[in-house]
């Protein structure tokens, strides 16, 4: 009896050893950190891992285009920002952006006494960091003139920011244009009571020197500017204009993504982004709201929402709507407001003879004070 038990014990040990050696190498290495050979009684690091995780944003293809999340307006210590260029890049990458422009002010550099280098420096520092994570960095600068009469303008896709630093405001913009820059009129409603187009900007429009406009900047939405963007066929932009850090400021909180521009691209590249900006294929995303041209807004909704019939009774049909995107929807239909959070599903029912629902998307602006009305077809 005793021998029998011993034999059974030996057999069990052999079986366990056999199981261990037949395991794939990766499984054998899957020791907890504390029991691994890396255990150091002198010092244990917390946390034990060395990578930070990116929050991935999800967007289905819209009208056949890939959707890229971009911030075209940010600052570093090389103008009046408070962070080093590296941090701007890692913050954007971790927050799910695909591309960003560093747009340090040409004319306003309060840290110049400590950081007396040229206007391309923030880009040159950030570019290798961006390359290491496959993040697309756009070379840019902000032309910063008197807000009440001239305004601020971002020049994107420039070659060299230094020649743009000239006294004459129009010349500065013309120089950026010569470099084939994409020029955005920044925050037209900032620091003014009434948002209107002044003589200087009228002249720039006449000369084709403005291609995009911020309808949202940092924490301000300018509904009137959305009407200008539609009427003048400009790219509709939302940007953070971040100076401090995104996380601890007002820019990102409780399920609200930082302000960004969603760009509908033919390819995942800088030239893809540029082509889409020139063609005006953008949506401004801010505070869980969108602003876009009507056809693009409709395309975004159609791509993002999947409506499925799940049940029918004698009188009613029951459906689910699934949101396939990282943007939430506020939908008014069937006499009530339905909140459909990012990547979630809600249910609703309609009388048996209904073939569609008339939805008003309360969080999608398509003109100054107009939101998107769009029918969803039911089977
Ligand atoms: Zn700015």
């Amino acid at each position: 009896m005793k021998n029998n038990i011993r034999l059974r014990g030996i057999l069990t040990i052999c079986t366990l050893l056999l199981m261990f050696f037949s395991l794939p190498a990766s499984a054998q290495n899957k020791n907890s950190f504390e029991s691994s050979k890396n255990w150091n009684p002198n010092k244990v690091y917390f946390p034990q891992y060395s990578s930070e995780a990116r929050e991935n944003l999800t967007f289905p293809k819209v009208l056949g285009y890939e959707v890229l999340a971009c911030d075209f307006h940010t600052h570093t210590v090389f103008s009046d920002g408070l962070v080093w260029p590296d941090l701007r890049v890692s913050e954007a990458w971790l927050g799910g952006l695909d591309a960003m422009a560093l747009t340090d002010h040409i004319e306003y550099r309060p840290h110049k006494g400590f950081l007396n280098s040229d206007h391309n420096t923030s880009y040159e520092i950030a570019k290798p960091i961006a390359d290491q994570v496959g993040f697309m960095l756009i070379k840019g600068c902000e032309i910063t003139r008197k807000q009440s009469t001239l305004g601020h303008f971002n020049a994107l896709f420039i070659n060299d920011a230094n020649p743009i630093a000239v006294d004459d405001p129009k010349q500065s913009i013309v120089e950026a244009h010569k470099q084939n820059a994409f020029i955005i009129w920044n925050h037209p409603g900032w620091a003014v009571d009434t948002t209107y187009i002044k003589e200087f900007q009228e002249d720039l429009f006449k000369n084709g020197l403005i291609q995009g406009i911020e309808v949202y900047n940092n924490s301000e939405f300018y509904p009137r500017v959305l009407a200008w963007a539609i009427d003048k066929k400009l790219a509709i932009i939302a940007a953070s204009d971040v100076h401090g850090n995104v996380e601890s400021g007002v820019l990102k909180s409780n399920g609200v993504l930082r302000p960004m521009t969603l760009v509908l691209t033919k390819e995942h590249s800088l030239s893809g982004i540029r082509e889409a900006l020139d063609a005006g294929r953008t949506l401004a995303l801010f505070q869980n709201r969108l602003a876009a041209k009507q056809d693009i807004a409709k395309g975004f909704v159609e791509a993002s929402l999947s409506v499925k019939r799940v049940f029918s009774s004698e009188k009613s049909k029951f459906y689910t709507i699934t949101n396939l995107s990282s943007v939430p929807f506020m939908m008014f239909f069937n006499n009530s407001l339905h909140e459909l959070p990012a990547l979630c599903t809600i249910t609703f029912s309609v009388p048996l003879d209904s073939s569609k629902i008339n939805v008003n998307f309360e969080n999608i602006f398509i003109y100054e004070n107009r939101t998107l009305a769009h029918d969803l077809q039911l089977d």
Side-chain angles (χ1 to χ4, degrees), residues 73 75 105 142 241:
H73 192 165
H75 294 276
H105 299 286
E142 183 167 10
D241 199 357

Side-chain angles (χ1 to χ4, degrees), residues 73-75 79-80 103-105 142 144 152 154 186-187 214 217 240-243:
H73 192 165
T74 68
H75 294 276
S79 60
D80 57 343
T103 51
D104 280 315
H105 299 286
E142 183 167 10
T144 315
H152 299 188
N154 274 348
N186 298 339
H187 47 63
E214 286 180 353
N217 174 285
S240 71
D241 199 357
V242 60
H243 286 71

Side-chain angles (χ1 to χ4, degrees), residues 39 41 43 62 91 110 113 154 159 171 231 260 281 332 355:
W39 175 257
K43 195 187 302 186
V62 173
E91 181 186 62
N154 274 348
N159 303 318
Q171 256 333 99
D231 295 344
M260 63 182 77
R281 292 193 307 271
F332 190 88
S355 62

Side-chain angles (χ1 to χ4, degrees), residues 121-307:
T121 310
S122 52
Y123 175 85
E124 280 158 12
I125 293 170
K127 180 70 169 76
I129 307 299
D131 287 344
Q132 284 168 22
V133 290
F135 183 78
M136 292 182 278
L137 194 66
I138 298 160
K139 193 168 194 176
C141 65
E142 183 167 10
I143 299 163
T144 315
R145 302 303 165 115
K146 196 170 185 221
Q147 171 67 5
S148 56
T149 51
L150 306 172
H152 299 188
F153 303 86
N154 274 348
L156 309 182
F157 301 98
I158 56 172
N159 303 318
D160 183 358
N162 295 317
I164 297 170
V166 293
D167 286 343
D168 183 77
K170 172 93 181 268
Q171 256 333 99
S172 183
I173 290 168
V174 167
E175 171 57 35
H177 186 70
K178 270 190 210 154
Q179 293 186 23
N180 195 28
F182 185 87
I183 297 168
I184 298 170
W185 180 8
N186 298 339
H187 47 63
W190 174 66
V192 291
D193 293 331
T194 311
T195 308
Y196 69 100
I197 299 170
K198 288 131 230 156
E199 209 179 314
F200 181 71
Q201 295 127 12
E202 200 75 76
D203 176 60
L204 295 179
F205 278 126
K206 228 178 274 168
N207 289 287
L209 292 170
I210 298 175
Q211 291 95 42
I213 196 161
E214 286 180 353
V215 302
Y216 187 90
N217 174 285
N218 192 268
S219 50
E220 297 179 343
F221 175 40
Y222 316 113
R224 177 168 296 167
V225 175
L226 177 59
W228 298 349
I230 304 280
D231 295 344
K232 294 177 180 294
K233 299 183 170 41
L234 305 170
I236 296 168
I237 307 290
S240 71
D241 199 357
V242 60
H243 286 71
N245 81 55
V246 167
E247 288 293 343
S248 66
V250 293
L251 289 170
K252 192 171 186 284
S253 63
N254 299 332
V256 179
L257 297 169
R258 62 188 277 175
M260 63 182 77
T261 304
L262 304 180
V263 182
L264 275 48
T265 63
K266 288 180 182 168
E267 57 170 55
H268 191 114
S269 67
L270 285 177
S271 56
I273 292 172
R274 176 59 195 262
E275 187 278 331
L277 282 175
D278 286 334
R281 292 193 307 271
T282 62
L283 301 102
L285 171 61
F286 54 93
Q287 302 293 331
N288 287 343
R289 287 161 177 82
L290 289 168
K293 297 183 183 98
Q294 182 167 282
D295 58 334
I296 288 176
K298 279 189 181 178
F300 190 86
V301 161
E302 280 292 331
S304 301
L305 299 181
S306 165
V307 183

Side-chain angles (χ1 to χ4, degrees), residues 336-351:
S336 58
L337 189 61
H338 303 258
E339 189 184 351
L340 177 50
L343 304 168
C344 287
T345 298
I346 55 171
T347 62
F348 70 94
S349 64
V350 290

